Amino acid sequence: MAERKTLFADVIIPIPVRNEFTYRVPFEMNDLIKSGMRVVVNFGKNKLYTAIVSKVHETAPTNYQAKYIEHLLDDYPIVTGKQYQFWKWISAYYMAPIGDVMNAALPANFKLASETKITLHPEFEIHNSNLNKRQMQIYDALEVQETLNLKEISEIIGIKTIHPIIKQMIDDRILISLEEMNYKYTPKTALAYFFKPEYQTEEKLNELALSFENKKSKEKQLHALMLMLSIGDFKQGYEAPVLQKDLAEKDVSLSALQTLVKNGILVSERLQVDRIGLNANELKNKKVLSEVQQTALTEIKEVFKEKDICLLHGVTGSGKTEIYVELIEEQLKLGNQVLFLLPEIALTTQLIQRLSAYFGDKIGVYHSKFNQNERVEIWNHILHDHPERYRIILGARSSIFLPFQRLGLVIVDEEHESSFKQYDPSPRYNARDSSIVLASSFKAKVLLGSATPSIETFYNAKTNKYGLVSLAQRHGGLALPEVFCADLKKERKEKTMHSHISSFLMNSMEDALKAKEQIILFQNRRGYTPTWTCEICNWSPSCKNCDVSLTYHKQTNSLKCHYCGYVSAPVGTCGSCSSNRLRMNGFGTEKIEDELSIIFPEKIIKRLDLDTTRSKNAYQIILSDFENRKIDILIGTQMVTKGLDFDNVSLVGILDADMLLNRPDFRAFERAFQLMTQVSGRAGRKKKRGKVIVQTGRPDHWIIQKVIEHNYLEFYDNEILERKNFFYPPFYKIIQFTLKHRDENQLNSSALEFADSLKDVFKERVLGPEYPIVKRINNLYLKTVVLKIEREISHKIVKEQIQQKVDEFYAIAANKSIRLVIDVDPA
Ligand code: ADP
Ligand code: ZN
Ligand code: ZN
């Protein structure tokens, strides 16, 4: 017998601890265990966790007795060495515990814990399946008990290594975790038709068609049948579904379809639309690039010969997507995988549909709110480098964590979007910046696209760190919209305002509506009125948990806190002096909707904001109604600024530009320019030149001027000087510390102590402690300390020094109850 080695494994446990832990490998696992596999380990007070093996070795830990690994869950590594290195980088750079990174990276289904409740998959049918003995036992037990956790199942069938069996059964859709079952995700469905199995042969269908021919009464059914055949994707037999919508578009009569169902020829069934969309049975041909696009594409390829990163700066409507398509196709030909990062999946259905129409099954949409089984499915396909499916991942930030094998290209669309940065929970990573690190480990290329690049990115392009390719014209020679100002001061003085709408905007709205064109109004504040103030004593109703005033929501007739969700009844009198002279200040989307519905009672007015899109498909419904011109005026928060492409929008109104300009944040001007330019870009995308009206009290403000001129370059030149003069990114890196505690005095003394200890090392680079704008949220008082570090200084050393200071801070008993949040490169 071969000598038995005593092996140990370092593992990452999905809890917020900085270290990895060493466990003893039971002898029977010696030949099986590899880094990247999942194991079950006992940690702390007898709790079991799914952990990832990072290293197998022969060195026993010196300061504790290693416990045995309980189970080995995988027969192959599910996390690659590259991924592990990437996790380590994220953990170090963003100062996040490696366990937090693991949590963010792995789909929840990979983290089966012994408490996970399992039930039978609702779509599983026992009669057409072939279960082995153990699976049968589990099936029987679940028939009786309905739900069981892993521990119970393990006891019932009497084996310890239950995880691999359950995992396999989940993969085979025999079982499902209860969490997954109850997942709120209710997919939008659409009615589709299939041929009954007995008709699924060419012979049968021919026979049927013949029997319908030359019969007046069967004419419509024959038409329906023929169209089923011409639309359906029947490459592998006649079993594919055809959507009713597609048939109806080709004038197939509904009653003919129903008759075919009644006569047992077709079956109708509701299918999940997003799944069908992705299977895209009608693939579209790519568009032929215009000369300008072709030049840009060539330039990008030239850049990629010398550099790994290129910025595509293309104005709104310049046709960036078609250039992405060409680059993606080139990668597919090379057999590579492509990662396409989008700021928010929910807000980019249009783009997903466009790309799916070209690439069909090769696209996978990966999103943390998605069905967990699908996430695991995509994970496995990517891991095994499946040659056909999921070669292109369209994903929100968490898709950077997929186990790529042959990543060739990363595209970051709308790279300036702040939602690429995760704020809560830790790791507080920026997916755009992290994807650059990810790409470099594959020697893959990165294309950043935007009409309004972030200052940091453009700086990198200007200083030749990145390549730069520009598209200055809209596709098809369309002009960029014409931007005007409505001078609020003047209109107020002349009393021409209609409540919050200037007469300039009002007249333009009337013209647009008369011409049957659509309007988008942008107001970056939801609710009705954000502040009520007593005219006598200045009192305002405020949240009992937070230090902010409450926003009135008319629909629910309530006052809401937008920070913690606290709701209270509206007040009629001042809470301080009891006067009833409460004045309402400011306005949100809801108020505008209300006012406009009185002015334009016959028009359809809808609102797109957090309050109207809480249910899962609400967003899609509003958008498709708008696209189909069932809505005349769409009022929205920044949700309306994202890359939407509507062809009948002739007018965009920005209702309160000053609110955007007045934010006390070093990025306020950058964000204001981006938001105004992006929302302007929604106007006039297909036919005539669009019109944008910016309502402002400061029409001469330089940011407004640059928006009017569509002059990104001058905006950048001004802004970069400010950044340099005031020590902001990209010249300095910012690390922000937020300290939180219930007790204000305790917080103040701890924050002061922490800032002082940082100052010992970093000197005048430390600012604060200061109260943030909202100094109390959810009953916790907040103080921030900001560290500004020269770009040139090694971030590694800085972070080690910070970590040491944090450790010293927590070594003091009085600080133990303080929460300290570290945000590297805050957005
Ligand atoms: P961007 O993403 O730069 O804002 P899009 O890619 O959405 O621009 O393109 C703007 C519009 O122009 C879209 O409606 C798109 O279908 C159309 N378009 C772009 N390129 C072409 C092309 N080569 N041929 C035909 N239409 C195009
Ligand atoms: Zn609150
Ligand atoms: Zn009062």
Side-chain angles (χ1 to χ4, degrees):
M1 215 174 102
E3 180 204 2
R4 275 182 162 185
K5 269 189 195 152
T6 302
L7 293 184
F8 295 91
D10 293 348
V11 305
I12 306 165
I13 301 176
I15 51 173
V17 287
R18 280 216 307 284
N19 305 325
E20 297 179 12
F21 296 88
T22 305
Y23 282 80
R24 174 92 185 263
V25 178
F27 286 130
E28 67 268 25
M29 286 181 201
N30 270 12
D31 296 334
L32 305 173
I33 193 163
K34 290 198 182 76
S35 48
M37 289 181 177
R38 290 170 308 156
V39 290
V40 175
V41 296
N42 199 322
F43 183 79
K45 291 198 190 82
N46 245 346
K47 279 197 91 171
L48 293 181
Y49 289 94
T50 302
I52 295 282
V53 177
S54 64
K55 192 176 164 193
V56 181
H57 56 84
E58 294 178 42
T59 320
T62 49
N63 49 353
Y64 57 91
Q65 175 79 35
K67 291 184 204 167
Y68 274 102
I69 288 174
E70 302 277 325
H71 307 300
L72 177 62
L73 299 187
D74 296 307
D75 34 27
Y76 54 84
I78 60 145
V79 174
T80 66
K82 277 211 170 84
Q83 277 179 296
Y84 176 64
Q85 291 309 322
F86 185 48
W87 291 9
K88 295 279 272 189
W89 180 83
I90 297 228
S91 165
Y93 185 87
Y94 292 105
M95 305 198 67
I98 187 87
D100 281 353
V101 182
M102 170 183 171
N103 256 333
L106 286 186
N109 271 5
F110 274 144
K111 289 173 281 184
L112 283 183
S114 45
E115 294 84 20
T116 307
K117 287 214 186 308
I118 301 292
T119 185
L120 288 172
H121 197 292
E123 285 162 31
F124 175 68
E125 291 173 32
I126 184 77
H127 55 264
N128 49 20
S129 55
N130 187 9
L131 300 186
N132 65 32
K133 193 168 143 249
R134 271 192 191 136
Q135 291 177 329
M136 203 63 214
Q137 273 178 302
I138 294 170
Y139 176 84
D140 286 341
L142 281 167
E143 280 254 296
V144 182
Q145 300 262 351
E146 213 162 307
T147 64
L148 289 170
N149 68 34
L150 293 194
K151 224 165 111 199
E152 292 164 337
I153 297 176
S154 155
E155 279 160 15
I156 288 171
I157 70 166
I159 50 173
K160 254 187 115 185
T161 43
I162 193 74
H163 282 78
I165 302 171
I166 298 294
K167 180 190 154 242
Q168 186 60 49
M169 290 177 76
I170 286 177
D171 289 350
D172 294 344
R173 292 175 186 256
I174 303 166
L175 306 180
I176 187 168
S177 72
L178 203 62
E179 189 188 15
E180 166 80 356
M181 262 286 277
N182 298 340
Y183 202 71
K184 281 192 220 75
Y185 182 66
T186 42
K188 198 167 139 199
T189 59
L191 201 61
Y193 293 89
F194 303 81
F195 288 112
K196 264 254 170 97
E198 52 266 44
Y199 284 98
Q200 288 179 5
T201 65
E202 185 144 6
E203 203 187 330
K204 270 283 183 194
L205 286 170
N206 272 335
E207 206 173 287
L208 188 67
L210 272 175
S211 76
F212 283 177
E213 244 170 46
N214 299 323
K215 289 196 186 118
K216 192 92 195 127
S217 66
K218 304 274 187 190
E219 207 173 88
K220 284 191 170 155
Q221 290 181 47
L222 182 61
H223 178 60
L225 198 64
M226 288 331 230
L227 274 156
M228 277 288 294
L229 290 172
S230 75
I231 295 175
D233 178 21
F234 296 131
K235 283 184 289 255
Q236 295 115 12
Y238 293 93
E239 62 212 18
V242 179
L243 290 183
Q244 172 166 302
K245 166 176 108 1
D246 296 341
L247 291 164
E249 246 171 44
K250 301 260 154 67
D251 289 326
V252 171
S253 101
L254 220 67
S255 65
L257 287 167
Q258 279 159 2
T259 312
L260 288 167
V261 171
K262 222 169 49 210
N263 295 344
I265 295 160
L266 297 181
V267 196
S268 66
E269 196 183 309
R270 297 204 74 86
L271 298 179
Q272 293 182 20
V273 167
D274 50 355
R275 297 290 285 160
I276 303 164
L278 299 181
N279 293 336
N281 35 24
E282 41 176 335
L283 294 192
K284 290 208 183 97
N285 285 327
K286 290 183 303 172
K287 296 196 166 80
V288 180
L289 290 193
S290 69
E291 210 168 298
V292 193
Q293 285 169 320
Q294 188 57 55
T295 310
L297 177 65
T298 314
E299 284 172 11
I300 293 170
K301 288 184 184 171
E302 282 303 310
V303 165
F304 281 157
K305 284 183 188 156
E306 286 169 23
K307 293 191 165 77
D308 293 327
I309 306 165
C310 181
L311 168 64
L312 174 58
H313 175 212
V315 297
T316 53
S318 56
K320 294 185 285 294
T321 316
E322 306 303 324
I323 296 178
Y324 300 153
V325 167
E326 296 289 335
L327 290 164
I328 292 171
E329 191 162 66
E330 186 181 283
Q331 291 299 320
L332 294 185
K333 282 192 186 131
L334 292 169
N336 288 340
Q337 296 166 324
V338 177
L339 171 61
F340 193 120
L341 280 175
L342 295 161
E344 276 165 87
I345 290 286
L347 304 184
T348 39
T349 27
Q350 274 194 338
L351 184 70
I352 294 174
Q353 282 162 3
R354 269 170 80 183
L355 293 177
S356 305
Y358 296 141
F359 297 112
D361 261 5
K362 292 207 163 62
I363 287 193
V365 178
Y366 192 81
H367 183 220
S368 61
K369 294 215 172 69
F370 251 48
N371 182 299
Q372 289 293 331
N373 273 335
E374 258 172 68
R375 295 185 79 200
V376 170
E377 184 183 322
I378 291 181
W379 184 287
N380 285 328
H381 275 78
I382 296 277
L383 179 67
H384 298 127
D385 200 13
H386 191 287
E388 283 301 320
R389 297 214 61 193
Y390 306 133
R391 303 303 293 174
I392 309 152
I393 298 299
L394 291 188
R397 32 173 207 253
S398 64
S399 52
I400 60 172
F401 291 116
L402 282 164
F404 295 101
Q405 299 292 323
R406 299 185 48 147
L407 188 62
L409 174 68
V410 177
I411 294 170
V412 186
D413 194 27
E414 311 288 2
E415 68 83 29
H416 63 277
E417 279 282 340
S418 57
S419 56
F420 282 123
K421 169 85 186 197
Q422 165 146 317
Y423 181 66
D424 248 340
S426 154
R428 297 179 173 79
Y429 64 100
N430 183 314
R432 174 196 63 201
D433 300 343
S434 305
S435 78
I436 289 175
V437 174
L438 175 75
S440 76
S441 73
F442 287 91
K443 301 202 167 28
K445 303 295 178 190
V446 180
L447 182 65
L448 307 172
S450 175
T452 52
S454 67
I455 292 288
E456 284 91 334
T457 296
F458 207 73
Y459 176 81
N460 284 331
K462 291 274 268 193
T463 52
N464 270 324
K465 199 172 153 201
Y466 302 168
L468 173 61
V469 173
S470 303
L471 282 170
Q473 301 289 321
R474 278 190 162 180
H475 176 76
L478 271 176
L480 283 164
E482 204 166 357
V483 186
F484 301 92
C485 274
D487 185 339
L488 291 182
K489 273 203 194 110
K490 188 157 154 277
E491 289 221 16
R492 280 194 190 119
K493 208 158 89 198
E494 294 168 1
K495 301 210 175 343
T496 53
M497 294 289 290
H498 307 249
S499 187
H500 301 288
I501 311 261
S502 59
S503 62
F504 184 18
L505 179 56
M506 190 56 83
N507 293 339
S508 305
M509 286 176 68
E510 280 163 2
D511 291 346
L513 292 171
K514 244 179 241 149
K516 300 230 175 310
E517 293 157 353
Q518 290 165 292
I519 300 168
I520 291 178
L521 298 179
F522 167 55
Q523 166 64 355
N524 214 11
R525 181 171 257 164
R526 66 198 166 93
Y528 201 79
T529 42
T531 53
W532 294 17
T533 324
C534 169
E535 290 192 359
I536 313 285
C537 72
N538 250 338
W539 174 89
S540 298
S542 58
C543 177
K544 74 178 180 40
N545 307 319
C546 311
D547 197 34
V548 286
S549 57
L550 296 167
T551 300
Y552 179 59
H553 286 244
K554 195 174 178 196
Q555 203 170 350
T556 50
N557 191 34
S558 59
L559 292 168
K560 281 188 196 166
C561 171
H562 286 183
Y563 283 83
C564 74
Y566 169 77
V567 180
S568 82
V571 288
T573 53
C574 171
S576 170
C577 75
S578 300
S579 97
N580 54 7
R581 291 176 55 184
L582 293 180
R583 201 182 49 216
M584 297 192 203
N585 287 322
F587 61 100
T589 46
E590 197 185 352
K591 182 146 196 237
I592 294 297
E593 182 188 23
D594 214 43
E595 290 178 0
L596 288 178
S597 63
I598 295 166
I599 300 173
F600 302 110
E602 75 289 7
K603 297 294 173 195
I604 311 287
I605 301 167
K606 283 276 152 72
R607 190 152 51 88
L608 190 70
D609 58 28
L610 202 62
D611 299 310
T612 62
T613 54
R614 285 194 201 277
S615 68
K616 207 69 202 198
N617 291 313
Y619 180 82
Q620 260 80 343
I621 292 167
I622 296 173
L623 275 200
S624 78
D625 282 355
F626 193 63
E627 200 165 5
N628 297 325
R629 307 191 185 179
K630 289 185 201 153
I631 295 171
D632 300 300
I633 306 173
L634 185 65
I635 304 156
T637 55
Q638 52 178 310
M639 284 188 182
V640 299
T641 67
K642 318 271 162 161
L644 303 172
D645 191 16
F646 301 114
D647 52 9
N648 191 41
V649 177
S650 68
L651 177 65
V652 165
I654 297 172
L655 300 182
D656 187 358
D658 303 340
M659 194 179 89
L660 300 173
L661 295 171
N662 291 340
R663 285 187 3 191
D665 166 10
F666 78 92
R667 285 190 216 273
F669 287 175
E670 179 183 357
R671 294 269 179 262
F673 181 86
Q674 288 164 341
L675 280 170
M676 287 194 266
T677 304
Q678 292 286 347
V679 73
S680 301
R682 304 309 120 214
R685 285 176 69 98
K686 287 282 161 69
K687 295 180 292 187
K688 69 174 204 189
R689 188 171 186 196
K691 181 172 177 181
V692 179
I693 294 175
V694 183
Q695 300 202 128
T696 173
R698 304 156 79 185
D700 298 327
H701 193 288
W702 71 272
I703 287 288
I704 306 250
Q705 287 304 314
K706 296 308 144 200
V707 172
I708 292 176
E709 297 162 14
H710 300 288
N711 199 335
Y712 176 85
L713 296 180
E714 276 181 22
F715 150 74
Y716 169 83
D717 286 342
N718 276 329
E719 183 64 15
I720 196 78
L721 277 180
E722 299 281 305
R723 297 289 180 89
K724 189 162 197 167
N725 291 339
F726 295 98
F727 313 109
Y728 280 115
F731 305 98
Y732 286 74
K733 280 194 163 284
I734 293 185
I735 300 176
Q736 181 172 297
F737 305 87
T738 306
L739 296 94
K740 308 182 184 185
H741 201 272
R742 278 182 175 268
D743 180 87
E744 197 174 0
N745 293 326
Q746 170 69 59
L747 176 72
N748 281 336
S749 69
S750 292
L752 204 59
E753 190 181 310
F754 181 66
D756 282 345
S757 91
L758 282 181
K759 279 173 193 165
D760 287 345
V761 183
F762 299 107
K763 309 282 183 288
E764 72 289 346
R765 296 179 187 88
V766 181
L767 306 176
E770 265 174 27
Y771 283 115
I773 318 157
V774 179
K775 73 169 205 180
R776 184 175 59 113
I777 296 178
N778 252 326
N779 290 316
L780 292 177
Y781 287 91
L782 312 179
K783 275 231 153 150
T784 56
V785 175
V786 169
L787 180 59
K788 289 180 174 179
I789 296 284
E790 294 87 326
R791 189 180 162 95
E792 299 75 27
I793 295 181
S794 151
H795 77 82
K796 225 174 146 184
I797 294 170
V798 167
K799 280 157 198 167
E800 279 163 16
Q801 287 169 324
I802 292 172
Q803 192 59 58
Q804 197 185 336
K805 290 296 172 191
V806 171
D807 292 344
E808 284 170 25
F809 177 74
Y810 278 121
I812 298 164
N815 296 333
K816 289 222 193 311
S817 57
I818 301 267
R819 273 204 65 195
L820 173 58
V821 168
I822 306 177
D823 192 4
V824 177
D825 302 338

